[in-house]
Amino acid sequence: MSERRVRVYDDKQSLADAVAARFLKRLAEVLAEKPMAHIVLTGGTMGETVLASVAAAKGRDKVDWSRVTFWWGDERYLPSGDPERNETQSRRALLDELDLPGANIKAYPAPGEHPTIEAAADAYAAELAAAAPAGEAYPVFDLTFLGVGPDGHVASLFPDHEAVRDREHVVLAETASPKPPPERLTLTLPVINSSERVWLVLAGPDKAGALGLTLADANPADVPAAGVKGRMRTVFFVDAEAAAEVPENLLTRERFWTAAHEVPQTR
């Protein structure tokens, strides 16, 4: 049965450091059981900050990174190397420092690589299928990182957009994003929810409303983050500012607790 947990940290840096440490521990557990780990990364300030904390962690070089494949939940449809691309941010923060085969970095296509953005979405879907077990459309994702926007969006699945309701595709082209740039590529919600674990990382007071609505089980069409559910576990890693406005009726031992009140674990 899938579990949902919330862990609260004092500030953004302690949050990022804690997530990084848990990630390295969880990755070691996965690699002890499987020949290859599939990790889905996110972008944004906290996504990059977490990866920078991984890069600085003492345990970083204990990981056999040749056995880790990185994907992304979404991407801004911008030229390769553009500083606003999630791939560029992830490379800068961590990936370029690792002993990692180029084939293990599964970046989304950039403009010009395919005739249309829809063809680019199909190409990434085909790449996912090529890495999947026989008969499946995508690999088993061991861990998916997500950020959450102030409007509750995850990846490039925005409130009231058709993409958040899509149950047929693996990858979609979003051509009218309310955030610039308007063109993006994204995994669909069912693909995200196929992940063994999903970790959502939120920081800052502007995320408080979205977190509260998500934990109150809002309609995913209105608050896409509320529709996220990893197969085994969904964890919200948040700082105190993001947690400040969570409704009191959700601040219970069963639904919500701080890192100081728990026994450290990743499973």
Side-chain angles (χ1 to χ4, degrees), residues 4 211-217 246-257:
R4 183 168 70 175
L211 178 61
L213 289 169
T214 297
L215 295 178
D217 296 320
V246 174
E248 287 295 327
N249 66 310
L250 295 181
L251 300 182
T252 65
R253 180 68 180 178
E254 290 75 27
R255 299 290 295 277
F256 180 98
W257 60 89

Side-chain angles (χ1 to χ4, degrees), residues 80-248:
S80 181
D82 189 288
E84 293 301 311
R85 277 179 65 96
N86 293 338
E87 175 204 355
T88 306
Q89 295 170 6
S90 299
R91 286 181 178 275
R92 179 174 61 217
L94 174 66
L95 302 187
D96 285 348
E97 297 188 30
L98 301 179
D99 185 12
L100 189 66
N104 290 28
I105 300 177
K106 305 295 188 179
Y108 276 95
E113 295 180 17
H114 300 278
T116 64
I117 188 173
E118 290 79 13
D122 291 343
Y124 202 65
E127 191 163 12
L128 285 160
E136 300 296 329
Y138 37 84
V140 175
F141 299 123
D142 299 286
L143 176 61
T144 291
F145 285 99
L146 292 174
V148 179
D151 61 354
H153 83 266
V154 291
S156 285
L157 302 173
F158 294 96
D160 300 321
H161 282 224
E162 285 302 316
V164 76
R165 300 180 180 88
D166 191 287
R167 298 295 183 270
E168 297 181 6
H169 296 88
V170 173
V171 183
L172 283 178
E174 170 60 69
T175 58
S177 166
K179 291 183 60 180
E183 293 188 321
R184 295 158 176 255
L185 296 164
T186 186
L187 299 182
T188 57
L189 194 56
V191 179
I192 290 171
N193 287 347
S194 74
S195 306
E196 295 290 300
R197 289 166 173 80
V198 180
W199 290 3
L200 301 96
V201 185
L202 301 81
D206 62 327
K207 305 299 178 66
L211 178 61
L213 289 169
T214 297
L215 295 178
D217 296 320
N219 186 334
D222 301 322
V223 184
V228 173
K229 185 178 182 181
R231 292 177 58 195
M232 296 183 65
R233 180 164 292 180
T234 306
V235 184
F236 295 82
F237 293 91
V238 306
D239 72 352
E241 289 186 325
E245 296 182 18
V246 174
E248 287 295 327

